[in-house]
């Protein structure tokens, strides 16, 4: 009897299992009720009608069709799409393959209104080691570049020459998608002026970097995350822009994503003009002339093409490999006219005109390979990166100069050819292991190997025979390498309202340089006035601890505390001793004896959200040793009767910086959004050079304010204002700078397109005015890198319905206060 019962039970179980293994196919189509168009990416889910347990689900394809396989049974079918009203078909019995009638979805107006308002708000996320700013719909960057967009990020400022600083400190490390990149220009920011601002997804301001980041950059890190669409299907946008002075361009963002791969591309072509001007007044206690006046006019032209193409292939549901390439080709054509007047007392003694024509050909490319394996959904993962970058640049400068008073005597012309070739290899491995519910362990390796070769040739005109001859004394080749190997580990945990992230990074830095020149080290030292080492190999081993703490006072209120140690390595142009030739009387010269500077930084932050108002604030302190400082010295040399003033970087003992910043985001109504920030800092330098005390105390500040008003007829108006307060270092006092940007935008074609007009530097006031007091001389100057610019742009988006874009933005911009590991 027991055997019979056992056999019957086994047979019944087998029958049930067999019946459950049989599946049927349910197919159908989802369409938009308003226009009858198919809805791609709509969600379809089948739940057991009795238990409500989800059995299967999926999304519609390009034509709105879906296909799901389930066991025969009775189900509730739910159809959902972003900002559309959901539809549920209840108690649907299926015993065989079935095609159900097309299902129509209609817009949910109430949901859409809420989404649009929140999506237009630039939000901030606070993590243990960074603040994340989503750019939002910043009208003033339509048709602009990444460099322009960074000027609207709190804590960041961009000066009139495009130099980027963080909290007033220019030693900021710029990363693209978490890694150094040719897009960011191998340490300079020129390439950022070629990349369209529309390519940015978000900017991470990392003032207290954790151990997983490179220790380079005493001010901190700006990590620019580029867009990579997460939505299935083919979609994108095209932007056309034109301006006065010339600011013409076209850019595209394209994305194709399926269940197995994701292809993304950002490309752009631009033609821009940057007219500018400058003037200098130098006075001397002794010399052939008591005063000289220089008036300069800059006429710069840039054409550039850039493209960034990537393919992400999903090996499994939890692992993928991404290959991407970046290419930038640009040409520059600059002309500088300098009118110099030389006085003896109040009488004009001589006048000359100097012209410099500089052409530039620049090609940068980058190949990268990324592998990620997510072992589970809790964050346990391994990532590996390989990257190669190359930058080849050729500059040709032709300089002519002649007296215009009291005679028309011509001076020998100069033909200068500078070739720069940079190569960089990067290897990086990161491992993240969650421990329990709130803890996390990380470890990794990073190798960064960079080489830069500068080939400089100077040909001078022989007026007697009319030919150009090579100046072998100034012609040189400078070979500079920077190799960094790093290991790091860090551990984070959360106990109730308290979270911490502790890390330690070890970096070995090798700086190698070899100068090939006809001059010996002794001759170079005598000519340039500093000790010259033509073949050096320096090695530095450093430990860089990091501590980041956060305490949640309430659900919308927290306090953060961070400490980190950083390094500032001298770049190649700070090392190369051969001076620039843009001006024969005001020259910049590198210093091969520079050593890295080290800094310890503390940061105390506070964040509070009051409904529609968000406040962020912090107090910070930094102590830097062997800090770089540029000093100006008289050389005792004269060119055409004018004394030469040289600027040279040196390791100036110590630099202490203390500051405070505050920012706010306020959206009082549906039609008004405002944000602003204020940064105050004070720094002290202490050090001497050649017996001269260059110690100084400087107090400065900068503030910005932005407001956006939504007008009827889908018109938006935005105003951005920026003011940098006066500053002072050991030799130079600089006046404050104020600028205003305006923008007007209107949505067109059922919100699939936008037309905008923006004015950069409305008052034409972005000018740097400074006064320098040196030993035996003074220099009073005013410099305007770029004049006021007006730009119009038109953007058309396809397969990106406005409600779909805004809901995605809201999801990506959601606030979070927890720490995270690999997020690139």
């Amino acid at each position: 009897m027991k055997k019979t019962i056992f056999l019957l039970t086994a047979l019944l179980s087998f029958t049930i299992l067999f019946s459950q293994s049989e599946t049927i196919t349910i197919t159908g189509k989802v369409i938009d009720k308003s226009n009858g168009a198919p809805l791609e990416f709509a969600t379809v889910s089948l739940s057991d009608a009795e238990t409500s347990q989800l059995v299967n689900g999926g999304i519609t394809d390009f034509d709105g069709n879906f296909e799901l396989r389930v066991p025969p049974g009775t189900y509730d079918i739910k159809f959902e799409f972003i900002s559309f009203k959901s539809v549920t078909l209840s108690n649907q019995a299926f015993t065989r393959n079935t095609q159900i009638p097309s299902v129509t979805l209609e817009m949910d107006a109430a949901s859409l209104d809420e989404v649009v308002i929140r999506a237009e708000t630039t939000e901030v996320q606070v993590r243990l080691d960074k603040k994340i700013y989503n750019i939002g719909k910043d009208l003033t960057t339509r048709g602009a570049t990444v460099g322009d967009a960074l000027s609207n990020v709190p804590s960041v400022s961009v000066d009139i020459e495009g130099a980027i600083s963080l909290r007033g400190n220019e030693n900021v490390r710029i990363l693209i998608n978490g890694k150094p990149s040719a897009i960011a220009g191998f340490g300079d920011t020129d390439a950022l002026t070629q990349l369209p601002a529309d390519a940015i997804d978000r900017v991470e301001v990392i003032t207290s970097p954790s151990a997983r980041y490179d220790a380079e950059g005493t001010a901190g890190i700006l990590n620019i995350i580029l867009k990579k669409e997460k939505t299935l299907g083919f979609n994108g946008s095209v932007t056309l822009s034109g301006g006065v002075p010339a600011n013409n361009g076209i850019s595209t963002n394209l994305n194709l994503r399926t269940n197995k791969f994701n292809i993304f591309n950002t490309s752009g072509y631009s033609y821009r003009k940057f007219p500018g001007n400058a003037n200098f007044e130098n006075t001397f206690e002794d010399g052939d002339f008591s005063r000289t006046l220089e008036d300069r006019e800059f006429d710069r032209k840039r054409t550039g093409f850039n493209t960034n193409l990537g393919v992400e292939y999903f090996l499994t549901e939890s692992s993928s490999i991404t290959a991407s390439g970046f290419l930038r080709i640009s040409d520059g054509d600059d002309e500088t006219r300098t009118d110099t007047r030389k006085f003896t007392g109040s009488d004009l003694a001589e006048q000359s005109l100097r012209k410099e024509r500089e052409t530039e050909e620049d090609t940068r490319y980058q190949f990268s390979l990324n592998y990620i394996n997510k072992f589970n959904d809790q964050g346990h993962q391994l990532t590996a990166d390989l990257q190669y970058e190359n930058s080849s640049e050729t500059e040709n400068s032709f300089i002519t100069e002649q007296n215009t008073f009291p005679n028309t005597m011509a001076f020998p012309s100069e033909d200068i050819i500078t070739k720069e070739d940079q190569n960089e290899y990067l290897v990086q491995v990161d491992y993240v292991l969650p421990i329990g519910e709130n803890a996390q362990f990380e470890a990794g390796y990073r190798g960064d190997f960079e080489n830069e070769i500068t080939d400089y040739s100077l040909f001078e005109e022989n007026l007697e025979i009319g030919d150009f001859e090579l100046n072998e004394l100034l012609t040189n080749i400078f070979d500079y390498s920077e190799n960094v190997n790093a290991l790091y580990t860090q551990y984070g945990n959360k106990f109730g309202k308290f979270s911490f992230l502790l890390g330690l990074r070890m970096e070995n830095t090798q700086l190698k340089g070899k100068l090939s020149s006809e001059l010996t080290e002794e001759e170079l030292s005598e000519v340039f006035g500093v000790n010259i080492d033509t073949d050096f190999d320096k090695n530095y081993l450093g430990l860089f601890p990091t501590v980041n703490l956060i305490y949640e006072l309430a659900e919308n209120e927290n306090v953060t505390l961070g400490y980190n140690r950083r390094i500032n390595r001298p770049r190649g142009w700070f090392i190369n001793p051969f001076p620039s030739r843009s001006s024969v009387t005001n020259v910049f010269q590198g210093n091969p004896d520079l050593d890295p500077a080290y800094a310890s930084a503390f940061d105390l932050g506070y964040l509070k959200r009051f409904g529609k108002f968000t406040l962020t604030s912090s107090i910070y302190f930094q102590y830097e040793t062997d800090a770089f400082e540029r000093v100006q010295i008289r050389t005792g040399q004269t060119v055409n009767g004018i004394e030469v003033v040289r600027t040279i970087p040196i390791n100036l003992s110590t630099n202490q910086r203390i500051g405070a910043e505050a920012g706010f985001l306020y959206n009082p109504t549906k039609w008004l959004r405002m944000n602003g920030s204020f940064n105050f800092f004070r720094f002290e330098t202490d050090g001497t050079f050649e017996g001269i005390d260059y110690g100084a105390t400087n107090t400065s500040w900068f503030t910005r304010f932005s407001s956006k008003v939504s007008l009827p007829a889908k018109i938006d108006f935005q105003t951005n204002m920026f003011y940098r307060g006066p500053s002072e270092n050991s030799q130079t006092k600089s006046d404050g700078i104020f600028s205003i940007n305006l923008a007007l935008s209107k949505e067109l074609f059922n919100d699939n397109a936008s037309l905008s007009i923006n004015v950069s530097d409305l008052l034409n006031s972005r000018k740097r005015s400074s006064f320098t007091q040196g030993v035996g001389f003074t220099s009073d100057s005013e410099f305007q890198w770029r004049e006021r610019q007006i730009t119009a742009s038109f953007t058309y988006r396809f397969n990106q319905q406005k409600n779909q874009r805004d809901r995605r933005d809201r999801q990506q911009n959601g606030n979070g206060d927890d720490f995270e590991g690999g997020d690139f």
Side-chain angles (χ1 to χ4, degrees), residues 323-350:
S324 63
F326 169 79
L327 172 66
R328 176 199 168 206
I329 301 173
S330 65
D331 295 319
D333 189 353
D334 301 348
E335 183 173 314
T336 303
R337 295 167 53 92
T338 303
D339 184 13
T340 303
R341 288 167 288 166
K342 312 159 195 176
F343 292 85
T344 302
S346 59
D347 298 328
L348 176 63
E350 289 184 10

Side-chain angles (χ1 to χ4, degrees), residues 385-431:
D385 292 275
L386 296 174
Q387 185 169 286
Y388 169 72
E389 306 171 14
N390 174 268
S391 174
S392 298
E393 180 179 299
T394 300
E395 292 183 0
N396 184 269
S397 298
F398 189 78
I399 303 173
T400 62
E401 185 172 1
Q402 67 176 24
N403 275 348
T404 57
F405 177 84
N407 54 55
T408 57
M409 180 181 67
F411 298 102
S413 299
E414 295 181 350
D415 190 5
I416 303 170
I417 301 174
T418 305
K419 296 181 180 180
E420 295 183 356
D421 189 74
Q422 296 174 310
N423 289 278
E424 185 170 359
Y425 300 86
L426 182 141
V427 180
Q428 182 171 333
V429 179
D430 297 289
Y431 176 71

Side-chain angles (χ1 to χ4, degrees), residues 194 268-272 302-306 328-331:
Q194 301 291 332
Y269 174 81
S270 62
Y271 172 76
R272 295 185 171 94
R302 293 287 187 276
T303 59
F305 168 78
N306 64 271
R328 176 199 168 206
I329 301 173
S330 65
D331 295 319

Side-chain angles (χ1 to χ4, degrees), residues 667-705:
N667 308 304
T669 67
K670 294 182 179 181
W671 56 269
L672 177 62
R673 289 163 293 280
M674 297 182 291
N675 70 78
S677 63
F678 177 82
N679 195 305
F680 173 86
F681 55 90
R682 179 177 185 270
F683 67 84
E684 296 181 5
T685 57
D686 180 21
T688 59
F689 178 68
E690 294 186 347
I692 301 174
D693 185 1
Y694 286 94
T697 299
N698 179 26
T699 300
S700 189
W701 54 279
F702 63 87
T703 184
R704 60 165 47 85
F705 173 79

Side-chain angles (χ1 to χ4, degrees), residues 702-723:
F702 63 87
T703 184
R704 60 165 47 85
F705 173 79
S706 177
S707 67
K708 184 177 179 182
V709 178
S710 296
L711 303 172
K714 297 182 179 180
I715 296 176
D716 290 328
F717 180 74
Q718 183 172 325
T719 303
N720 286 3
M721 293 184 288
F722 176 84
Y723 179 75

Side-chain angles (χ1 to χ4, degrees), residues 131-420:
K131 290 184 178 71
I132 303 174
Y133 294 95
N134 296 280
I135 299 300
K137 296 184 177 180
D138 191 338
L139 306 182
T140 61
T141 61
R142 297 278 176 88
T145 67
V146 169
D148 297 319
L150 289 178
S151 65
N152 293 337
V153 175
S155 305
V156 180
S157 60
V158 182
D159 71 10
I160 59 175
E161 293 177 304
I164 298 170
S165 61
L166 183 59
R167 293 173 168 177
N169 188 343
E170 291 186 4
N171 184 227
V172 55
R173 180 70 157 170
I174 298 178
L175 304 178
I176 304 293
N177 296 332
K179 298 182 288 292
S181 172
I183 302 175
F186 293 99
D188 64 59
T189 59
D190 182 56
L192 296 180
T193 65
Q194 301 291 332
L195 193 66
D198 290 340
I200 300 179
D201 180 43
R202 63 187 185 272
V203 176
E204 298 178 344
V205 179
I206 310 172
T207 52
S208 184
S210 65
R212 71 191 304 266
Y213 293 102
D214 185 2
E216 172 73 26
T218 56
I221 294 172
L222 288 179
N223 186 24
I224 301 171
I225 307 298
L226 302 181
K227 289 179 179 177
K228 186 175 67 173
E229 186 61 62
K230 299 178 177 63
T231 304
L232 291 179
F234 179 67
N235 54 80
S237 64
V238 179
T239 299
L240 298 172
S241 60
V244 180
N247 182 25
N248 309 322
I250 179 173
S251 64
T252 61
N253 283 301
L254 304 175
N255 198 95
L256 174 62
R257 185 183 178 102
T258 70
N259 290 324
K260 289 299 295 181
F261 63 86
N262 184 29
I263 302 176
F264 50 94
N265 172 259
T266 298
S267 297
Y269 174 81
S270 62
Y271 172 76
R272 295 185 171 94
K273 287 186 177 181
F274 304 95
N277 58 84
N279 59 74
F280 301 84
E281 180 179 356
N282 296 340
T283 64
F284 303 94
E285 292 181 358
D286 50 48
D288 294 339
F289 303 102
S290 59
R291 185 167 64 108
T292 63
L293 299 178
E294 285 189 15
D295 293 316
R296 295 185 195 172
E297 292 183 357
F298 305 98
D299 185 12
R300 296 184 298 273
K301 302 174 185 177
R302 293 287 187 276
T303 59
F305 168 78
N306 64 271
T307 184
N308 184 32
L309 175 65
V311 179
E312 181 179 12
Y313 182 75
F314 304 99
L315 301 172
T316 67
E317 292 184 356
S318 58
S319 65
S320 67
I321 187 168
T322 302
S324 63
F326 169 79
L327 172 66
R328 176 199 168 206
I329 301 173
S330 65
D331 295 319
D333 189 353
D334 301 348
E335 183 173 314
T336 303
R337 295 167 53 92
T338 303
D339 184 13
T340 303
R341 288 167 288 166
K342 312 159 195 176
F343 292 85
T344 302
S346 59
D347 298 328
L348 176 63
E350 289 184 10
Q351 186 170 358
S352 62
L353 177 64
R354 175 185 172 90
K355 295 181 181 180
E356 178 179 2
R357 174 77 179 273
E358 179 181 299
T359 59
E360 176 184 321
E361 297 179 357
D362 187 4
T363 300
R364 302 171 189 252
Y365 58 87
Q366 169 185 303
F367 300 104
S368 60
L369 196 64
N370 168 266
Y371 170 76
I372 180 170
N373 189 358
K374 299 181 179 180
F375 300 103
N376 57 37
D377 295 333
Q378 285 71 48
H380 184 199
Q381 67 180 34
L382 173 71
T383 59
D385 292 275
L386 296 174
Q387 185 169 286
Y388 169 72
E389 306 171 14
N390 174 268
S391 174
S392 298
E393 180 179 299
T394 300
E395 292 183 0
N396 184 269
S397 298
F398 189 78
I399 303 173
T400 62
E401 185 172 1
Q402 67 176 24
N403 275 348
T404 57
F405 177 84
N407 54 55
T408 57
M409 180 181 67
F411 298 102
S413 299
E414 295 181 350
D415 190 5
I416 303 170
I417 301 174
T418 305
K419 296 181 180 180
E420 295 183 356

Side-chain angles (χ1 to χ4, degrees), residues 154 613-617 661-665 676-678:
F613 185 90
T614 300
L615 171 69
T616 61
S617 61
E661 65 177 346
F664 75 90
L665 304 170
S677 63
F678 177 82

